[in-house]
Amino acid sequence: ALSILCTDDHIDQILVLLTPQRTTEVVKTAQVIDHWNQKTDKNIVVSFIGGSRVRAGFDILKKAHIPAFHFPADATRALGKIANRNENLQKTKQVVPSPDPDIKKMIQVAQQKKLQSLPQEAVDYVLDFYGLDRPIAQNFKTESPTKAQAFFQKIIDKGQKVVLKLSAPDALHKTELKGVFLDIQTPHQFQATWQELTQTIAQNNLDQASIQIQEQVDQALEVFVGVKTDKNFGKVLVFGMGGIFTELIKDTSLRIIPTNNQQCLIKMVNETSIGQILKGHRGKVFPNKKVIQSLEKIEQLVVDFPEIMAIDANPILVTTDRVICVDFKIMI
């Protein structure tokens, strides 16, 4: 039977069920399954029902790395998961017209220069194109302190504090380089911080580096949104608690892209502790719908541009009326 099924182009997956009778040869059956599993690319899943009577067959299947289950329901559920996974992978492989040729060109230029991630100017363009909110910010080359200070002055004249941070395609973790400074409020603080960031850029030989001046957003929840590329599952969307303790706390939830379902994203957010806080806590209400919309836009971005290997948006600040992408990295 397996020799026929494994060579039939109309069959994608095979389920082998065994219930031992008096003359059933459990070990030989497992060996035959192992033999054909090595000859085919089709998924073979097995359910040997019988407890101790089928244990020897289970040992052979386990050694051969063939998925084996004690109950048929578990085996069929596994087949369903594999089918859904394959469908998602096929969707992500579909070639779709680029929604914006400028973004396509920016990615191609970065790839030609062998950059790890898109430059900040390109990231800002992407955020604006997809309607993702970002703070008032501007990048300045290190040799432009006068223009930078004028922009800094405009922000503090509005009564806002300022963040200064280095920006470079190769600087993926700015805090580890001491590349982020908060609560800058005076010209003296600005000059001292500018000088320190300039030295950091020079000491670390950062290519295409600049210094970003950004309005500081206080009184906000920090969330994290990421996209990873997994060799088995393709693009994976990650949501959770943001900030410098993201990797330590691990309050995250995962979904395979494309989700194609807003309810799926809502459930994903609600699976996390930070998601429960976003629903409202002690009278403080947050724009939960805007969080979901931001997830949809980020998911759409990686579907539109399969060249994007990863996204690290940490933190995204959620105030009572805004969802602000403060630090957004696009890896290619």
Side-chain angles (χ1 to χ4, degrees):
L2 282 177
S3 69
I4 296 169
L5 297 175
C6 287
T7 54
D8 190 329
D9 292 336
H10 298 91
I11 291 172
D12 300 312
Q13 303 194 109
I14 300 168
L15 172 62
V16 181
L17 297 177
L18 181 144
T19 53
Q21 310 302 311
R22 182 176 298 177
T23 58
T24 303
E25 297 176 300
V26 176
V27 170
K28 286 187 177 181
T29 302
Q31 290 170 341
V32 168
I33 295 169
D34 180 21
H35 170 78
W36 281 102
N37 187 61
Q38 293 179 44
K39 287 181 171 290
T40 183
D41 291 330
K42 301 181 193 296
N43 295 312
I44 299 180
V45 174
V46 181
S47 178
F48 277 15
I49 309 159
S52 59
R53 296 180 62 186
V54 297
R55 186 171 297 129
F58 256 96
D59 292 341
I60 293 169
L61 297 169
K62 184 178 179 181
K63 189 175 180 180
H65 302 291
I66 298 170
F69 300 87
H70 291 287
F71 300 101
D74 295 330
T76 53
R77 194 174 295 114
L79 286 171
K81 295 287 186 183
I82 293 170
N84 289 338
R85 163 189 172 273
N86 186 62
E87 186 178 334
N88 276 319
L89 285 177
Q90 293 304 318
K91 286 177 182 177
T92 58
K93 289 176 182 176
Q94 290 175 359
V95 178
V96 295
S98 296
D100 185 75
D102 290 332
I103 296 176
K104 186 82 171 179
K105 187 174 180 180
M106 290 173 186
I107 292 173
Q108 289 172 343
V109 170
Q111 287 174 328
Q112 289 166 4
K113 293 181 178 179
K114 297 183 178 179
L115 300 178
Q116 292 185 54
S117 63
L118 291 186
Q120 189 60 48
E121 292 82 359
V123 172
D124 290 344
Y125 181 91
V126 170
L127 293 176
D128 291 341
F129 183 84
Y130 281 88
L132 289 158
D133 192 5
R134 60 186 177 93
I136 298 169
Q138 195 167 325
N139 292 343
F140 296 89
K141 296 297 181 183
T142 54
E143 62 269 18
S144 308
T146 305
K147 291 181 180 178
Q149 188 156 357
F151 182 74
F152 161 77
Q153 195 66 44
K154 285 182 181 179
I155 297 178
I156 62 170
D157 285 348
K158 295 177 181 178
Q160 295 173 286
K161 291 181 283 187
V162 168
V163 179
L164 258 68
K165 56 187 177 182
L166 65 85
S167 176
D170 295 334
L172 300 182
H173 297 286
K174 298 179 179 69
T175 51
E176 293 177 6
L177 294 171
K178 294 184 178 178
V180 181
F181 292 86
L182 306 174
D183 299 318
I184 311 299
Q185 301 179 66
T186 67
H188 175 73
Q189 285 178 309
F190 172 84
Q191 290 164 6
T193 305
W194 182 276
Q195 187 62 34
E196 190 164 344
L197 286 171
T198 301
Q199 291 173 357
T200 299
I201 289 169
Q203 290 168 358
N204 291 277
N205 250 348
L206 295 173
D207 189 34
Q208 296 191 31
S210 59
I211 296 175
Q212 186 177 69
I213 301 172
Q214 187 179 82
E215 68 166 312
Q216 183 166 317
V217 181
D218 293 320
Q219 302 297 318
L221 287 177
E222 293 185 335
V223 301
F224 160 72
V225 177
V227 174
K228 308 294 181 186
T229 301
D230 182 87
K231 65 179 181 180
N232 291 314
F233 297 103
K235 297 288 194 308
V236 179
L237 184 67
V238 189
F239 174 84
M241 184 176 291
I244 60 174
F245 301 116
T246 296
E247 294 177 2
L248 181 66
I249 297 174
K250 295 180 180 176
D251 176 36
T252 56
S253 181
L254 309 173
R255 288 296 184 277
I256 295 172
I257 294 174
T259 60
N260 294 325
N261 189 332
Q262 192 181 80
Q263 290 303 315
C264 178
L265 294 176
I266 292 171
K267 186 177 179 182
M268 175 187 179
V269 170
N270 290 342
E271 285 173 357
T272 64
S273 298
I274 192 70
Q276 294 303 309
I277 297 172
L278 286 170
K279 290 167 73 175
H281 184 67
R282 294 191 175 181
K284 201 160 190 176
V285 180
F286 296 95
N288 211 16
K289 287 184 180 179
K290 288 187 179 181
V291 174
I292 301 300
Q293 289 169 357
S294 297
L295 283 170
E296 287 180 307
K297 291 171 182 177
I298 292 170
E299 179 183 357
Q300 189 61 52
L301 168 61
V302 296
V303 170
D304 290 343
F305 298 96
E307 304 94 326
I308 295 173
M309 299 305 294
I311 287 176
D312 186 354
N314 186 19
I316 291 178
L317 299 182
V318 184
T319 68
T320 53
D321 62 347
R322 294 177 68 189
V323 178
I324 313 163
C325 298
V326 173
D327 204 342
F328 200 98
K329 292 183 281 289
I330 300 175
M331 278 67 83
I332 51 177

